[in-house]
Amino acid sequence: MLARSSLTLLLCCTSTLAAAKEPAQVAAAQAPVARPLAARNVEPANQPGLISPGKEPDIVPPDYKRDWRTEQRFLQVGTGVSWALAGLGTIGLIVPLAMLGRCNNAQDAGAMIDCSQERRTAGIMAPILGVLTAAAIVPAVMFTRRLVKHDDRRPDKRRAAVGVGAGGLQLQF
């Protein structure tokens, strides 16, 4: 029952994140709005001086950049929420067990104190938060892995390339 409740809570959080994401398919499925020919930005192909030396033109479509940023935000939020839940679960697991350990150490030292409330709290909270921690670490690792892979596909990311040119091997950054 406890595990089912924790997993239901985690599923609710991740499905809320998924619902908040703007689907890229909807933006791509919408037909582009037709503009009159005079309003379009048409550049002549053979006009010298349009590209300044040392600066490459931006060939990545704006829709791709927008979809990439939307996916980036979704993955960042998912990663943050998942790791925050895992951290809260870990802290919440440690605190009741530390209270119980301090109470046990006091009783071992000969103090006459009643630890029934601490034992009850630790007995209830430790399994709940242990399951929350275990259930939150899985999506946290998955979101982190997806975020790293997504960063590698950044539209304006420059990569080093080795090629053969007129003077021999070329290393381009």
Side-chain angles (χ1 to χ4, degrees):
M1 172 92 175
L2 176 64
R4 187 183 326 157
S5 299
S6 297
L7 290 175
T8 303
L9 175 68
L10 185 65
L11 181 63
C12 178
C13 290
T14 56
S15 62
T16 303
L17 287 173
K21 177 183 169 188
E22 294 178 20
Q25 294 83 11
V26 173
Q30 295 175 348
V33 178
R35 294 184 291 174
L37 187 58
R40 292 183 186 162
N41 293 331
V42 179
E43 297 177 6
N46 296 328
Q47 194 173 32
L50 286 179
I51 300 174
S52 61
K55 185 177 180 184
E56 296 179 15
D58 187 17
I59 59 173
V60 179
D63 291 343
Y64 181 76
K65 287 181 180 180
R66 185 192 64 224
D67 291 344
W68 187 88
R69 282 191 301 267
T70 301
E71 182 75 13
Q72 176 80 5
R73 281 190 305 266
F74 169 72
L75 291 173
Q76 286 173 341
V77 168
T79 302
V81 167
S82 298
W83 281 115
L85 285 174
L88 286 174
T90 302
I91 291 169
L93 179 66
I94 292 170
V95 169
L97 294 177
M99 286 174 23
L100 185 60
R102 190 177 63 191
C103 184
N104 287 340
N105 289 341
Q107 281 185 341
D108 290 343
M112 297 299 290
I113 57 174
D114 183 23
C115 291
S116 62
Q117 184 62 35
E118 284 81 4
R119 285 194 172 91
R120 186 176 303 124
T121 302
I124 293 172
M125 293 303 292
I128 292 172
L129 294 171
V131 169
L132 173 67
T133 303
I137 285 178
V138 173
V141 169
M142 290 173 57
F143 271 120
T144 303
R145 182 175 172 270
R146 284 179 57 195
L147 184 62
V148 168
K149 282 189 168 196
H150 185 73
D151 283 341
D152 289 342
R153 292 189 308 259
R154 187 173 59 224
D156 56 351
K157 183 174 184 178
R158 296 188 182 258
R159 296 188 176 108
V162 177
V164 179
L169 289 177
Q170 292 181 342
L171 181 60
Q172 299 173 349
F173 293 99

